[in-house]
Amino acid sequence: MNTSPTDPAPPGANRGGPSAHGSTTESRRRTRADRARQVAEVLRRQIASGAFASGLLPDERMLIADFAVSRNTVREALGVLRDEGVIERRQGVGTVIVRRPYEHTLQRLTGLAETLRAHGEVTNQVRFAGLVRAPGEVARKLLVPEGGRVVYIERLRLLDGVPLSLDLTYLAADIGEPLLAADLAGRDLFGLIEQVTGGRLGSASVTVHAVGGDPHTCALLDIPAGSALFTVERLTRLPDGRPVDLEYLRIRGDRLAFRADLVRAEPEPYSGPPPPECDGVRLTGGER
């Protein structure tokens, strides 16, 4: 990798020769790589939130000005997104967005289909649906007696025909058995549960973490083995607090982003000067 002459040496670098941590060139390269990741992350989030409605990213000159970075840094950032399959360069057109990760809010109890229906057609391939003996952890969380029966539903979820997630769902038997005759391929489970109970669901506990996907799951999701997946555990309750729906979701990390607006404390009135205009793109401090 060549270092652009416009990339100044990082603060504290030994301009006369190698430093204790490696050569000046190595330090400079690492600094630009860090900047490139920052640029890529901001662009990735903008793409996920629906920015660049034309489907084209701004040209390099605009990105250089917006982020206050060098041309090499911008090109490295675009290379990161290109390797992820988010963008591609088309001759005579520019840098085109070829895939947007869709946002799923964590502020409201909604199913994936409810969230994503605005982005395309959500369908399900039902891989299994029936009564099974509840595994110990499932029985504990659904308050089912040890050895009790629950309804297990396994579905491969697709958005516009492209695999999105593998959903493993355990339901309390009295809630789940009526669903076995329902349209599990075309309906969201939350809607079906509310149809059975005659009322709205109440609350849910959600845990999200990232893993490298196992070969079997990745094959079902049509991605290389070891690709990043979100693993989501969601325990959903009726308004009276009774747990009725335990889901284990494996979601492609390149197709979904989770979003929430959080409040740390009651905000105090701001008395300082007005903030500068910000387009949501610029990184402060320039490139060092």
Side-chain angles (χ1 to χ4, degrees):
M1 181 186 300
N2 295 324
T3 302
S4 165
T6 62
D7 284 341
N14 182 352
R15 285 173 167 75
S19 69
H21 300 289
S23 70
T24 301
T25 300
E26 289 171 341
S27 297
R28 195 175 296 161
R29 182 165 60 243
R30 284 196 297 269
T31 300
R32 190 170 70 227
D34 289 340
R35 283 287 178 182
R37 285 194 293 272
Q38 287 179 281
V39 173
E41 180 59 28
V42 174
L43 289 173
R44 188 186 295 111
R45 296 304 309 129
Q46 286 187 289
I47 291 169
S49 63
F52 316 120
S54 67
L56 293 173
L57 289 188
D59 63 28
E60 286 185 359
R61 288 175 299 176
M62 292 184 64
L63 293 174
I64 290 167
D66 281 341
F67 287 98
V69 296
S70 70
R71 184 178 300 275
N72 280 352
T73 297
V74 165
R75 289 180 174 176
E76 194 168 328
L78 295 178
V80 170
L81 298 178
R82 185 173 58 250
D83 291 344
E84 294 175 358
V86 176
I87 62 172
E88 67 180 23
R89 182 75 180 174
R90 294 181 184 171
Q91 187 68 30
V93 177
T95 302
V96 180
I97 298 167
V98 294
R99 188 184 65 240
R100 293 181 186 267
Y102 301 109
E103 289 194 338
H104 182 58
T105 180
L106 295 178
Q107 294 171 247
R108 227 179 126 248
L109 182 53
T110 58
L112 277 177
E114 293 176 283
T115 300
L116 298 174
R117 65 164 58 104
H119 301 294
E121 182 184 10
V122 179
T123 56
N124 304 285
Q125 294 178 4
V126 182
R127 296 175 50 79
F128 181 88
L131 275 168
V132 299
R133 182 182 183 275
E137 178 71 0
V138 172
R140 184 181 68 80
K141 292 191 172 182
L142 289 179
L143 304 182
V144 173
E146 184 176 352
R149 308 275 278 178
V150 294
V151 168
Y152 174 64
I153 298 172
E154 180 174 316
R155 302 190 300 176
L156 179 66
R157 184 162 304 207
L158 303 99
L159 179 61
D160 285 339
V162 179
L164 173 67
S165 67
L166 180 65
D167 302 357
L168 317 179
T169 303
Y170 295 91
L171 299 157
D174 61 315
I175 302 293
E177 284 193 80
L179 271 55
L180 296 176
D183 179 15
L184 295 175
R187 294 282 306 277
D188 196 57
L189 284 183
F190 279 4
L192 291 172
I193 293 170
E194 290 177 338
Q195 184 175 311
V196 167
T197 62
R200 304 285 283 177
L201 287 165
S203 63
S205 300
V206 180
T207 302
V208 182
H209 65 278
V211 298
D214 63 89
H216 176 66
T217 300
C218 287
L220 289 173
L221 295 176
D222 196 25
I223 52 178
S227 295
L229 300 178
F230 287 119
T231 66
V232 180
E233 178 185 319
R234 180 167 58 189
L235 179 63
T236 304
R237 307 174 184 87
L238 297 178
D240 63 6
R242 179 195 172 196
V244 294
D245 175 9
L246 177 61
E247 297 170 284
Y248 298 101
L249 313 179
R250 299 292 182 269
I251 304 172
R252 283 177 51 163
D254 62 341
R255 302 210 70 204
L256 198 70
F258 292 94
R259 180 181 59 81
D261 296 320
L262 306 176
V263 177
R264 181 179 175 90
E266 191 66 29
E268 297 180 1
Y270 178 67
S271 58
E277 291 295 321
C278 177
D279 58 10
V281 177
R282 189 180 300 277
L283 295 175
T284 61
E287 183 161 31
R288 304 181 187 276

